Amino acid sequence: MTPRLFTFTAKADGTLNGYAKSWNAGPGAWERDRVELTSGDYNGDRRADAAVMYRHDEGVTSLHTSLAKTDGGFQAPVEEYRSGAGNWYASSSGIPVSGDADGDGREDILIMYNYATGATRTFTFSTGEDGTFGNPRRSWYAEPGTW
């Protein structure tokens, strides 16, 4: 099944309009069961953007963002980060969440990772002023067996 992104714009009365297709991955480009989605205002324009952590084979994970357009749709996703082979197994990751971790008014992405040793670490993808992400920063850490 080909992943697609649909938008339901809000009405003034709090209900939703019918959906509109915002983006289509195209046949064979992405597989739905490899996608973890989160959303937040990554570029500070007061519109919710979309971000996807995508699980590739051989321990490779990538982060893609789709910035919101003024019509309620989304731009095509841009790959912001890609781990090296064997460096990020999606099966060891939690679901990514968005929140303003550094207080700059833009949402960041945080994700927990469980190591084979039993240790757990939180990684933070901080946003730049243009809504792009750099490499993840190591954040909170729990010793093996404590979390």
Side-chain angles (χ1 to χ4, degrees), residues 1-6 21-32 35 52 54 64 66 74-77:
M1 188 156 148
T2 302
R4 294 180 174 101
L5 187 60
F6 293 93
K21 184 171 67 170
S22 297
W23 176 77
N24 182 351
W30 282 8
E31 296 175 30
R32 170 60 192 107
V35 170
V52 167
Y54 189 82
H64 305 258
S66 296
F74 290 89
Q75 298 175 21

Side-chain angles (χ1 to χ4, degrees), residues 4 12 14 25-26 48 55 67 82 85 88 98 105 125 134 144:
R4 294 180 174 101
R55 175 180 49 87
L67 297 178
R82 179 181 287 255
W88 194 304
S98 296
F125 289 88

Side-chain angles (χ1 to χ4, degrees), residues 42-86:
Y42 304 128
N43 60 357
D45 66 0
R46 297 180 16 181
R47 288 189 292 275
D49 307 305
V52 167
M53 295 292 291
Y54 189 82
R55 175 180 49 87
H56 301 272
D57 293 330
E58 301 178 13
V60 176
T61 296
S62 57
L63 171 65
H64 305 258
T65 57
S66 296
L67 297 178
K69 298 189 299 186
T70 56
D71 67 2
F74 290 89
Q75 298 175 21
V78 174
E79 184 175 293
E80 304 280 352
Y81 166 81
R82 179 181 287 255
S83 73

Side-chain angles (χ1 to χ4, degrees), residues 127-141:
T127 54
E129 290 183 13
D130 59 357
T132 60
F133 292 87
N135 289 334
R137 277 185 300 113
R138 294 178 176 183
S139 303
W140 176 83
Y141 178 78

